[in-house]
Amino acid sequence: MSREKIKEAAIAQFNLHGYEGTKMSQIAEEAGIRKQSMAYHFASKKELLTELYGEVVEEEIAFVRGFFGETSNKTWEERLHGYMIEHKNRYLTRPGMHLMFVFSFTTPLEVRDFVLFEYRRYLSVLKAELTALFDQAEVGHLTPEECMVACMTMMDGLDIQLVYETRQAYDQTLAIAWKVFLTGIGHAPGKP
């Protein structure tokens, strides 16, 4: 039994029951092993979560950097709007990203400091990529940092739609927020 299979099972159980509601025996059952075998790989639920959460954050950091690097031939509007669409798709299809976002909103007390530290690393990379995007775009009447803050605020609201609402709510909110965002930064609304 590989550690990866256990981590996949743990993500599924954490997404279903939360950190506090998940038992190591549930993870073992999901992974198809005995609970006693889990101790060979992970001494505790906390150790398991910290390893897999750190890996999920690294994966999302790599995605953010890769996305903005690979789309450099597009307009900044296409890149940003495309990122928001892909962000939604990843949340809906990648259980690890789902876990990362839900735990950033409802952080388990036992691992609070670790989760918040890791999530802030992710946010730091995203903020840097957005600031660079706005710096290259030279849009509107705000500084790149101000545009980034406005964008992050919009994205926070969109993330709430993903975690607590539906994909349709996300799409509807994005359509409205996108126009408001472009107007707010002093850029004529256009289609991405």
Side-chain angles (χ1 to χ4, degrees):
M1 175 52 51
S2 73
R3 291 173 69 88
E4 295 309 309
K5 183 75 173 163
I6 293 169
K7 287 187 275 190
E8 287 175 21
I11 288 173
Q13 290 300 308
F14 289 144
N15 279 335
L16 281 174
H17 306 292
Y19 180 76
E20 288 86 3
T22 298
K23 308 276 186 263
M24 289 293 273
S25 58
Q26 292 169 307
I27 297 169
E29 184 178 331
E30 172 95 9
I33 62 170
R34 294 187 344 222
K35 182 182 174 189
Q36 295 82 351
S37 301
M38 291 277 294
Y40 174 77
H41 296 284
F42 297 98
S44 68
K45 182 168 64 168
K46 181 178 179 180
E47 178 187 326
L48 173 56
L49 178 72
T50 56
E51 182 173 318
L52 71 87
Y53 193 86
E55 290 173 359
V56 167
V57 168
E58 283 301 319
E59 183 179 326
E60 290 310 309
I61 286 172
F63 166 72
V64 168
R65 288 180 174 146
F67 181 89
F68 285 105
E70 293 165 9
T71 59
S72 61
N73 60 334
K74 297 182 178 185
T75 68
W76 73 267
E77 298 98 322
E78 291 171 326
R79 295 170 75 196
L80 182 56
H81 195 270
Y83 174 78
M84 288 189 243
I85 298 297
E86 191 56 30
H87 177 79
K88 173 195 74 172
N89 293 338
R90 288 177 70 78
Y91 176 84
L92 294 171
T93 62
R94 302 184 69 81
M97 184 181 183
H98 183 275
L99 177 82
M100 183 180 87
F101 273 89
V102 171
F103 277 28
S104 75
F105 286 113
T106 57
T107 309
L109 188 58
E110 184 179 8
V111 291
R112 182 181 189 281
D113 291 341
F114 176 79
V115 166
L116 293 179
F117 176 82
E118 289 296 306
Y119 190 70
R120 286 179 183 133
R121 277 191 333 106
Y122 161 77
L123 288 178
S124 176
V125 170
L126 180 57
K127 289 176 181 180
E129 290 292 334
L130 292 174
T131 301
L133 177 76
F134 292 119
D135 188 47
Q136 295 166 359
E138 299 179 7
V139 300
H141 59 275
L142 300 176
T143 67
E145 291 77 18
E146 291 169 327
C147 289
M148 177 273 296
V149 169
C151 184
M152 290 298 295
T153 302
M154 174 179 58
M155 290 177 67
D156 283 346
L158 290 167
D159 287 344
I160 293 293
Q161 299 300 308
L162 284 176
V163 173
Y164 296 110
E165 295 292 334
T166 63
R167 97 175 50 177
Q168 293 80 12
Y170 182 95
D171 292 338
Q172 291 168 348
T173 302
L174 175 58
I176 296 165
W178 181 251
K179 293 176 194 174
V180 173
F181 171 73
L182 292 178
T183 301
I185 65 168
H187 183 70
K191 295 193 178 199

